[in-house]
Amino acid sequence: MIRALAILLLFQLAGETVARGTGLPLPGPVLGLAALFGLLFLRPSLRDRLEATATTLLGHLSLLFVPAGVGVIAHLDTFGRDGPALAAALVVSTALAIVAAVAAFAAVARLTGAQADE
Amino acid sequence: MSDATDLWSYLAQEPLLWLTLTLVTYVGADALATTVRHPLANPVLVSVIAIGAVLLATGVPYARYFEGAQFVHFMLGPATVALALPLYANVARLRKALLPMLAALVAGSLTAILSALGIARALGVRGETLLSLAPKSATAPVALGVSEQIGGLPSLTAVLVILTGIIGAVISTPMLNALRFTDWRARGFAVGIAAHGIGTAHAFRVHSTAGAFAGIGMGLNAMLTAVLAPLIVTLFF
């Protein structure tokens, strides 16, 4: 667990360093993800070492968003008079984006024969 | 009575109380989500409302709460890196679905940015408030950077991003069930694009394949939004 966490932190640190150094508009952890993904092909044994910790972390991913989410309370007044319009835009736009993506995926999967294997 | 007041003012200053409140509330909200199985029983939504109510009732500022809760918040970084494992485990499925994913990414990312700006503008939202909306479907660190770049308010964008995530997590399952989309790859990928990490967390709770594809959707949309949002704002708004 501790060893796995150390490996994950090392990749995050490397990602952060590259992001800062190159000025890429991407967060360090996303670059760390890409680097670890690449390394897993070179060293598949890394998977056994990280699997248990990754499953635990991702199984409770919702928990990790709670502290930032509570920040909504501190910004309630920022909404001011645009509150209802912003709420409508968020709900409708999020629904439309999900439907557009799912429909595009399904349509192209049917065209290319890339059907689900389940 | 004054002993109780002393104890409260001591504990309210310390990280321990707020870290404990965060974990205990989440454990309760998680149990509620498993037993009730209603979309509104989303653990992020329930925890945010419960903890927010405690802070508003006791007058404790968010910054003091965050001093304790930051230990949980910090784990978002390693958890994002850990998304590489479900990605790697699903790599054969990924290869098979490259073209559908590309189509879904472009359609979802464009729709998220254009419809948010279009609807808000039609409802009278203007200026930096409108611009803050453009990157709302991207993961928070990317969205904040984009917001700053195009002239929005990063602190408002942070709130809009979190709300988008919660909305996506709450509406996606009932909506996609009603529309009869059964492909877990498409469902997860779409939720990751539209509702970033909170949507991905929800997808992992529903189905492991959906979770893996949601993680990729989130990562790819972070990159595409960083390119598309400034372009769309310059062209149309």
Side-chain angles (χ1 to χ4, degrees):
Chain A
M1 160 101 198
I2 298 298
R3 182 182 287 215
L5 205 52
I7 295 173
L8 294 176
L9 285 174
L10 273 174
F11 275 94
Q12 187 184 347
L13 184 64
E16 213 71 71
T17 311
V18 172
R20 295 273 161 184
T22 58
L24 276 174
L26 282 179
V30 172
L31 291 176
L33 188 178
L36 177 57
F37 181 63
L39 201 73
L40 279 166
F41 289 92
L42 298 177
R43 284 200 179 274
S45 64
L46 208 54
R47 185 180 171 182
D48 306 327
R49 200 165 278 179
L50 296 175
E51 189 83 63
T53 303
T55 308
T56 308
L57 270 177
L58 296 176
H60 295 283
L61 195 55
S62 299
L63 164 67
L64 311 185
F65 288 99
V66 172
V70 176
V72 169
I73 300 295
H75 285 93
L76 282 180
D77 55 324
T78 322
F79 270 71
R81 62 181 184 87
D82 286 328
L86 288 175
L90 288 182
V91 172
V92 178
S93 156
T94 305
L96 286 178
I98 293 174
V99 173
V102 127
F105 192 113
V108 175
R110 207 175 308 120
L111 283 175
T112 58
Q115 300 292 358
D117 47 15
E118 291 161 284
Chain B
M1 190 63 207
S2 92
D3 282 354
T5 319
D6 283 353
L7 179 62
W8 166 253
S9 46
Y10 168 74
L11 286 178
Q13 299 287 339
E14 294 293 310
L16 173 65
L17 179 63
W18 306 118
L19 181 59
T20 311
L21 177 72
T22 305
L23 288 176
V24 169
T25 307
Y26 174 78
V27 169
D30 189 48
L32 185 76
T34 333
T35 45
V36 177
R37 297 204 155 276
H38 188 277
L40 277 176
N42 175 272
V44 183
L45 179 64
V46 172
S47 302
V48 164
I49 291 174
I51 297 169
V54 170
L55 296 186
L56 290 177
T58 56
V60 172
Y62 174 65
R64 183 159 315 140
Y65 161 78
F66 194 77
E67 277 170 31
Q70 63 175 319
F71 304 107
V72 171
H73 178 76
F74 179 80
M75 295 308 289
L76 269 178
T80 304
V81 177
L83 283 170
L85 281 116
L87 263 187
Y88 179 75
N90 280 286
V91 77
R93 282 192 187 138
L94 285 182
R95 280 214 186 100
K96 244 177 91 181
L98 276 184
L99 282 177
M101 278 165 51
L102 190 67
L105 174 65
V106 174
S109 194
L110 275 176
T111 308
I113 302 169
L114 282 171
S115 67
L117 289 172
I119 293 164
R121 201 184 150 96
L123 294 174
V125 181
R126 294 285 185 278
E128 48 190 12
T129 308
L130 181 67
L131 296 175
S132 306
L133 202 54
K136 59 116 178 81
S137 280
T139 181
V142 171
L144 299 198
V146 171
S147 175
E148 198 169 9
Q149 190 194 343
I150 62 180
L153 300 164
S155 67
L156 178 58
T157 298
V159 177
L160 297 172
V161 167
I162 294 281
L163 291 175
T164 299
I166 293 176
I167 291 166
V170 168
I171 64 172
S172 61
T173 302
M175 189 175 73
L176 293 172
N177 285 345
L179 294 172
R180 292 175 194 199
F181 284 105
T182 52
D183 187 339
W184 290 115
R185 306 171 303 170
R187 291 177 61 133
F189 194 67
V191 172
I193 290 172
H196 55 87
I198 299 180
T200 302
H202 172 72
F204 268 113
R205 295 176 69 90
V206 177
H207 195 278
S208 64
T209 304
F213 275 81
I216 317 162
M218 171 181 74
L220 292 178
N221 189 42
M223 296 186 222
L224 194 58
T225 301
V227 177
L228 282 183
L231 252 170
I232 289 175
V233 164
T234 329
L235 286 176
F236 301 111
F237 291 90

